Amino acid sequence: MQGPLCSVFPSTPAQVSSVEDLYEFICSGPLIRKLGLTSERIADSIDKWLSHGSRLCRLFQLNELYLTAPQKARFYHYYIPVFVWCEGKISKHVSQFKDSEDIPPLVIGFSAPQGCGKTTLVFALSYLFQTTGRKSATLSIDDFYLTAEGQANLREANPGNALLEFRGNAGSHDLPFSIETLSALSKLKKAGMNMKLPRYDKSAYSGRGDRVDPSTWPEVEAPLTVVLFEGWMLGFKPLPVEVVQAVDPQLEIVNKNLEAYYDAWDKFVKAWVVIKIQDPSCVYQWRLQAEIAMREAGNPGMTDEEVKDFVSRYLPAYKAYLPTLYAEGPRGSHPENLLPIEIDEGRNPILEYAKDGTQFPPRIPTLLKAARNSLFPHEFA
C-alpha cells in the first residue's frame, strides 16, 4: 500500500479516529484561511503536520499523546501554520533565482509586542527549519542595542526624556552595526562561509544591559535558507509630529530617530509576520506575570512598581505606532508577503468568523474519511 496518507492511517479504527479528530482540529484553526489552505491540501499533507507536531513536542519536552488543549492549539493553530506560511515564502523566494545562481537567505521579520511570545515562536520555527534540513539564523532588535557606553551617551544627550533614559525606543540602537550585520548575512550563500551573530546581555550593569563579548557570539554557517528577525518595534514608521506630540511630547525625538530605521532594518525584510494585540496594556500584564513567576521561583525580578515604570517607557510608542502598523503594514511590505495574526490575552490566535457569524473554516472530516476508505476498503467496510 502506497501513498502520502498511508503513514498516518493505521489499520485500526480507533487510531484513525484520532487522526480524524486532529484533522478537524487543524481545519478549525484561525490561520487556515489567511494561509489559503484548503481542506484537501491539509488532508494531503497531514503526515507533515503530525511530523511537525512530534518535533515540537520533543523541543518543548511534552508527551504528544497527552497534550493539553492550549498546547495543542499553540502547536497546530499557531506555530505550525506560521511555519507552513514561511515555507511558502521561501519557495517563492527561491523560484526567483536560476539554478546556477547562489541564493541569499530570505529575511522574515516578526513584529510583535513584548511578552506576547514572539521569541518562543521564532525558537520553534528555527527548530523546525533545523529538523527539516534547512539552515536558519535568528536575530532580535535587542542584539543591536547600543553598548553600555553608547546608552550612557544617549541618556546624557537627552536629559529628562524618560523614553531615552534606558534602552528600548528608537535612538537606542546601533544602526550602522545593524546594516553591517544584516548585509553580511545576506551574503551567506556558499558552503564554507560563516559569521558570528551578535548577542545582548540585558542583565549587565545592574539591568541596564550591554553587548555580549564577541568571543561568545554563536556562529552560523552558509548556505543560509532564512533569517528570522524579531522585535517589538520592527516595522514602526515615523508619523506627523502633531500625532506623536498628542500621545507624548517626549516621542518627538524618538519619532525623528525612527526615520533612519527603514534603511537599517526594514528594507532587508522581504516577508512579514505582524502579531497584533487589541490592547497595549496586555504588555504590562504579561511582563508582570513573568516577573511574578521569576520571584516565586526564587530568582531576582522586578517589583510590581518597577514593572509599571519599565513598561510605561514603551506604551507611548505602542499607542502612537501600532494603529498605523496594523492598518498599513510595515514600510515597503506587500500584502502577499504579510501575515497579520491577532492574538488574545492568552497569546493565542483569535478565531475568525464569516460574515454570517459561522466559524471559519468549517469542520470537514468527509474528505479524510473518503481517503481513508479508499486506502482501507476492507477494514472499514
Side-chain angles (χ1 to χ4, degrees):
M1 188 181 304
Q2 301 295 325
L5 296 175
C6 295
S7 62
V8 295
F9 284 105
S11 58
T12 63
Q15 290 173 304
V16 172
S17 177
S18 66
V19 175
E20 288 178 348
D21 289 343
L22 181 58
Y23 167 78
E24 287 190 3
F25 184 77
I26 292 171
C27 285
S28 71
L31 299 182
I32 296 303
R33 179 167 55 176
K34 286 181 180 291
L35 300 181
L37 292 175
T38 63
S39 54
E40 290 85 356
R41 287 182 61 186
I42 294 174
D44 287 342
S45 61
I46 191 68
D47 54 341
K48 289 186 178 180
W49 286 75
L50 291 173
S51 178
H52 295 332
S54 294
R55 292 186 174 105
L56 291 177
C57 286
R58 289 197 297 271
L59 174 65
F60 293 103
Q61 299 181 339
L62 298 171
N63 187 327
E64 60 186 305
L65 298 178
Y66 299 99
L67 289 178
T68 65
Q71 290 167 344
K72 190 164 68 168
R74 187 63 57 88
F75 288 178
Y76 291 102
H77 284 177
Y78 194 4
Y79 295 170
I80 297 175
V82 173
F83 179 68
V84 170
W85 184 84
C86 291
E87 285 189 311
K89 297 303 140 185
I90 291 171
S91 296
K92 180 180 178 181
H93 172 71
V94 170
S95 70
Q96 298 173 356
F97 296 86
K98 298 178 181 179
D99 292 341
S100 59
E101 290 183 290
D102 295 321
I103 302 173
L106 175 68
V107 180
I108 303 178
F110 295 79
S111 180
Q114 297 147 305
C116 74
K118 63 183 177 299
T119 302
T120 306
L121 169 63
V122 168
F123 176 63
L125 296 176
S126 178
Y127 182 77
L128 289 176
F129 280 119
Q130 174 190 336
T131 55
T132 52
R134 285 163 292 186
K135 295 179 180 178
S136 65
T138 60
L139 276 176
S140 168
I141 64 173
D142 295 357
D143 299 321
F144 298 129
Y145 278 135
L146 295 169
T147 61
E149 181 181 358
Q151 289 176 45
N153 294 336
L154 178 69
R155 189 161 50 250
E156 292 172 5
N158 297 274
N161 191 323
L163 304 185
L164 294 175
E165 185 177 355
F166 300 107
R167 65 179 185 272
N169 284 292
S172 64
H173 303 88
D174 188 335
L175 299 188
F177 182 52
S178 304
I179 296 171
E180 176 187 336
T181 302
L182 290 166
S183 297
L185 277 172
S186 69
K187 298 175 183 177
L188 286 185
K189 307 175 185 179
K190 295 182 178 181
M193 302 176 67
N194 58 67
M195 68 172 285
K196 289 189 172 184
L197 298 178
R199 291 295 184 258
Y200 190 85
D201 181 5
K202 296 180 181 179
S203 67
Y205 290 93
S206 301
R208 289 191 178 270
D210 196 9
R211 194 170 299 157
V212 172
D213 187 317
S215 66
T216 67
W217 293 356
E219 190 172 73
V220 291
E221 297 179 351
L224 278 183
T225 299
V226 62
V227 176
L228 307 175
F229 184 29
E230 55 98 350
W232 73 275
M233 55 166 283
L234 200 60
F236 283 11
K237 46 191 173 186
L239 299 172
V241 174
E242 60 272 17
V243 174
V244 296
Q245 285 182 332
V247 175
D248 188 330
Q250 296 180 107
L251 266 180
E252 185 173 349
I253 183 62
V254 172
N255 193 61
K256 181 67 176 177
N257 294 335
L258 200 54
E259 293 175 0
Y261 276 67
Y262 174 79
D263 287 333
W265 292 354
D266 297 355
K267 78 173 185 180
F268 291 94
V269 179
K270 304 306 179 186
W272 289 88
V273 176
V274 176
I275 300 174
K276 303 165 64 175
I277 57 175
Q278 296 175 317
D279 183 358
S281 64
C282 287
V283 174
Y284 170 73
Q285 296 298 330
W286 289 332
R287 185 73 191 199
L288 187 61
Q289 290 169 6
E291 295 298 327
I292 291 174
M294 289 178 63
R295 297 199 302 263
E296 290 178 347
N299 299 317
M302 290 188 285
T303 65
D304 292 2
E305 283 302 314
E306 288 172 334
V307 171
K308 184 176 181 179
D309 177 69
F310 177 82
V311 174
S312 70
R313 301 172 192 271
Y314 295 88
L315 285 180
Y318 284 131
K319 292 177 181 178
Y321 300 113
L322 285 185
T324 303
L325 175 68
Y326 293 169
E328 302 176 3
R331 277 184 293 180
S333 64
H334 190 281
E336 290 185 359
N337 297 321
L338 172 63
L339 177 62
I341 304 172
E342 188 168 352
I343 62 172
D344 58 23
E345 293 183 2
R347 304 179 182 88
N348 290 311
I350 294 175
L351 195 64
E352 292 187 355
Y353 288 84
K355 292 182 179 179
D356 62 0
T358 59
Q359 177 182 308
F360 183 91
R363 299 191 173 193
I364 312 175
T366 306
L367 177 70
L368 205 64
K369 290 179 180 178
R372 178 202 68 189
N373 292 336
S374 68
L375 289 168
F376 304 102
H378 301 296
E379 288 89 337
F380 298 95

